[in-house]
Amino acid sequence: MNGNKGVASEREKMAAGEWYCCLDPELDVLRDKARAACHAHNTMPPGERGAMAPALRLLFAEASASAFLEAPFHCSYGMNTALDDGVYLNAGCTILDSAPVRIGARSMLGPGVHIYCADHDRDPALRSKGIEIARPVTIGADVWIGGGAIILGGVTIGDGAIVGAGSVVTRDVPPGSTVAGNPARPIGPRG
C-alpha cells in the first residue's frame, strides 16, 4: 500500500488485476523507462546489441541469455515480461505488458505479433479517464505464432500450439493445437 492508509496505488491495482487508471504519474515514469530501453534496443547497431540491448534485458522481469529480440521491439512496461530459454521475437513485435506475460522456452513469434494485456472500460466517460484492467498472457513452450497475430489479455496458449498468421486470439489455445482466423478457431490436426 502507498502512504494513504488502505488506498492502493494505481500500480498496485494494476498488479492485482483490478480496475486502475493508466493516466497515473507513477505509471508514466515506468512507461518512460520502458520507452528508453526499447529505443536503446531499436537504435543500437546489431553487432553491439547482440540478442538484446542490455537496457532492455535489465527491464524485463526475466530474460534468458538465449532469448533473442529483433528490432524494432516495443513494450509498455517490460517489468511484467518473462522470456524463457531460446525465445525468439521477430521484427515489429509489441508486448503491452500491463499484466504478467510469460513466453515459454523455444517459442517463436513471427514479425509484427502483438500481445495486449490491457482492456479499457466500456463506459466512454470512464475510458476517457484512463480506466482499464490488465489480464495476463501465458505462452507455453515450443509455440509458434505466425506474423501479425494478436493475442488478447487473459489468454493461455498451450505447449506446442500453432497460431496462424494474422489471427486474433481471444480465448485459450489447447496444447498441441493449431488455430487461425479472427477470432482464432481450431483448424484441425497439424499436417
Side-chain angles (χ1 to χ4, degrees):
M1 294 290 174
N2 64 17
N4 301 329
K5 294 181 181 179
V7 177
S9 71
E10 299 307 312
R11 180 180 180 176
E12 290 167 335
K13 289 188 250 182
M14 180 177 81
E18 300 171 3
W19 289 97
Y20 65 96
C21 178
C22 66
L23 306 175
D24 176 73
E26 181 182 13
L27 295 178
D28 286 342
V29 168
L30 294 172
R31 286 190 299 268
D32 285 345
K33 184 177 177 183
R35 282 186 203 99
C38 289
H39 178 75
H41 177 81
N42 294 335
T43 59
M44 186 175 279
E48 293 176 30
R49 179 181 65 231
M52 188 183 320
L56 193 55
R57 186 175 300 284
L58 290 171
L59 184 70
F60 287 141
E62 298 173 41
S64 167
S66 62
F68 194 103
L69 278 67
E70 298 285 1
F73 170 79
H74 177 77
C75 63
S76 52
Y77 295 97
M79 66 185 190
N80 291 322
T81 296
L83 307 174
D84 290 345
D85 292 337
V87 166
Y88 177 77
L89 277 63
N90 209 324
C93 287
T94 295
I95 302 176
L96 302 185
D97 62 335
S98 43
V101 173
R102 176 165 292 279
I103 303 176
R106 300 168 306 281
S107 288
M108 300 178 354
L109 280 63
V113 170
H114 289 197
I115 298 171
Y116 305 145
C117 292
D119 189 10
H120 301 277
D121 199 284
R122 300 302 179 262
D123 180 329
L126 292 174
R127 192 168 54 245
S128 70
K129 293 178 182 174
I131 303 301
E132 62 185 37
I133 193 165
R135 295 183 176 93
V137 170
T138 302
I139 298 171
D142 302 303
V143 171
W144 176 23
I145 301 176
I150 296 172
I151 315 300
L152 298 184
V155 167
T156 295
I157 299 175
D159 294 346
I162 296 173
V163 175
S167 297
V168 177
V169 183
T170 61
R171 62 184 97 184
D172 291 352
V173 177
S177 64
T178 299
V179 300
N182 181 4
R185 294 180 179 92
I187 60 170
R190 282 187 245 188

